[in-house]
Amino acid sequence: MDWVTIDGRLGEGGGQILRTALSLSCLTGRPFRISHIRAGRKNPGLRPQHLTAVRAVQKICSAIVSGDRVNSTELEFQPGPIGSGEFLFDISEERLSAGSISLIFQTVLPVLLFADTASRVGFIRGGTCVAFSPPIPYLSEVFLPTVGLMGATARLEITRAGWYPRGGGAAFGVIYPMSQPLRPLTWTKRGELKSLRIQSLYSALPTSVGTRQADRARQRLAQAGFSPSLLRVEIRQLPADSPGTCLFLIAEFETGRAGFSALGALGKSAEQVADEAVDAFFEYWHQGAPVDRHLSDQLLLFLALAEGPSTIRTTHLTLHALTNISVIKSFLDVPMSVSGEQGQLAEIAATGAGFLRQNRVSTGDPVR
């Protein structure tokens, strides 16, 4: 079996290069070597969060791994057969306090979609809403419904919030296996706006904080001309080990959803949190494309696995997305093209491989 060789300095040089490689290695049965891991980051090499992703995927496909240690800049990964069933992932196993549960879930999701049976996945001692990763409500309310349009069935729920820096959050998910390839996705128009949902989440803080966040978001949206009949407000106090807050805004259109969030921080008012999320929505709203900048990145792997041609139109083409396309094409021989410039509106097209479990290269057990 030929090894896939990846240079971690590719594109934006971040951790998504490793996470995409882990998912695709398990799915295709192709081993990979990666060097210069996270070369584009301030602290290069494997951080505890990335090592947790390696451990999670290793557990699912009984992989043989070398170089799996904190600060390592090189890794070899040889996948075995994909398993399914009950999995519990301890996000702080590598002494990480608020590592993102969302990023671990997104790494194991495509693998377990192509397992033989349904899997129940639990996550403990991690971050549920932390910087530089999608909050779990984004996955539950935007990402999973979108891949659901392609035939994927999964859910993820917070059972205990985990805020930066302490973490301590927990979540539970279920992933059901695919019986047929993912359907392609054509999503180039928004259609009519059906609702704007405001979720104000907080823990270990006065109720007024959650209320002020929601009120500010609702007020600004109304002032901008959005009908009060479109606005839905949910204020939730979540159990947690430490204080924290998040404002999440979900825009639901005829054709799909987009999401925008902001996190609280020491010295940051509830109104500032709301303004940050609403400003992100306004920027998206005026650009006209249906797929928000973060969702476009997250859909690429699924477009490559789907059966046939897909096209999505995004408000903002990121270097993250361009990097992810390069990694995907290292494992899958699928046409993927981009029409548009980085930082601008763009269309991304892919003719997917029509992946199913039987398409996986049979390697047997890794050489031990």
Side-chain angles (χ1 to χ4, degrees):
M1 170 63 62
D2 291 336
W3 287 69
V4 175
T5 301
I6 300 170
D7 189 332
R9 295 173 294 189
L10 178 71
E12 47 90 29
Q16 187 59 51
I17 296 172
L18 172 65
R19 288 187 291 269
T20 297
L22 289 168
S23 300
L24 282 171
S25 178
C26 272
L27 285 171
T28 63
R30 299 182 67 187
F32 74 93
R33 296 185 180 95
I34 181 170
S35 60
H36 307 290
I37 295 171
R38 299 181 63 254
R41 296 297 184 254
K42 182 178 179 181
N43 298 308
L46 287 174
R47 303 309 303 149
Q49 176 172 285
H50 310 98
L51 193 51
T52 301
V54 173
R55 300 265 193 263
V57 180
Q58 178 185 26
K59 183 182 295 186
I60 290 170
C61 67
S62 302
I64 296 298
V65 183
S66 62
D68 50 335
R69 58 186 179 277
V70 172
N71 297 327
S72 173
T73 59
E74 298 185 355
L75 184 86
E76 290 190 352
F77 189 92
Q78 302 177 68
I82 296 174
S84 59
E86 302 268 352
F87 297 97
L88 180 64
F89 303 119
D90 185 346
I91 308 301
S92 68
E93 186 176 12
E94 302 295 336
R95 298 186 297 281
L96 182 69
S97 56
S100 171
I101 289 174
S102 297
L103 294 180
I104 308 303
F105 178 80
Q106 287 191 313
T107 306
V108 303
L109 171 66
V111 179
L112 292 175
L113 281 173
F114 294 96
D116 285 335
T117 61
S119 295
R120 297 163 61 90
V121 290
F123 303 87
I124 59 172
R125 298 199 296 172
T128 58
C129 301
V130 293
F132 306 112
S133 71
I136 286 180
Y138 184 94
L139 299 191
S140 301
E141 299 286 354
V142 177
F143 170 69
L144 287 177
T146 304
V147 296
L149 297 174
M150 304 177 73
T153 303
R155 70 176 189 270
L156 180 66
E157 302 170 1
I158 295 174
T159 55
R160 187 173 186 83
W163 308 98
Y164 179 85
R166 188 168 177 179
F172 169 79
V174 180
I175 301 169
Y176 296 92
M178 301 291 301
S179 59
Q180 56 188 4
L182 288 159
R183 295 188 290 271
L185 178 67
T186 299
W187 192 13
T188 57
K189 296 181 180 179
R190 290 178 181 169
E192 182 182 352
L193 178 65
K194 296 171 63 178
S195 69
L196 281 168
R197 288 191 284 139
I198 300 164
Q199 288 187 353
S200 182
L201 311 176
Y202 69 100
S203 303
L205 290 167
T207 303
S208 60
V209 173
T211 303
R212 284 165 52 205
Q213 283 184 165
D215 287 348
R216 175 72 162 208
R218 177 168 44 193
Q219 181 185 62
R220 289 199 59 199
L221 291 167
Q223 289 175 344
F226 292 95
S227 170
S229 65
L230 292 174
L231 305 182
R232 306 283 186 271
V233 177
E234 178 185 4
I235 303 172
R236 292 176 59 197
Q237 183 175 19
L238 300 173
D241 291 345
S242 59
T245 181
C246 175
L247 192 287
F248 184 53
L249 181 61
I250 306 145
E252 184 170 3
F253 299 89
E254 284 183 297
T255 57
R257 301 179 182 185
F260 313 89
S261 62
L263 298 172
L266 192 64
K268 189 176 182 180
S269 71
E271 289 74 20
Q272 287 175 305
V273 175
D275 284 345
E276 190 177 315
V278 172
D279 287 345
F281 166 69
F282 285 163
E283 180 183 7
Y284 163 88
W285 176 256
H286 292 302
Q287 288 173 314
V291 184
D292 71 63
R293 66 169 71 190
H294 301 299
L295 188 58
S296 62
D297 298 356
Q298 297 167 22
L299 290 177
L300 295 174
L301 176 55
F302 294 84
L303 303 186
L305 295 172
E307 186 173 45
S310 295
T311 304
I312 59 173
R313 187 166 184 251
T314 181
T315 58
H316 189 103
L317 178 64
T318 65
L319 180 57
H320 200 275
L322 294 171
T323 305
N324 216 12
I325 289 172
S326 295
V327 178
I328 290 167
K329 293 176 77 170
S330 297
F331 285 89
L332 295 172
D333 184 17
V334 294
M336 301 186 79
S337 62
V338 176
S339 175
E341 298 297 323
Q342 185 181 327
Q344 304 296 322
L345 286 164
E347 284 196 0
I348 302 173
T351 302
F355 186 86
L356 264 182
R357 178 74 180 271
Q358 56 263 37
N359 301 146
R360 189 178 193 265
V361 176
S362 177
T363 59
D365 291 331
V367 177
R368 298 182 184 274

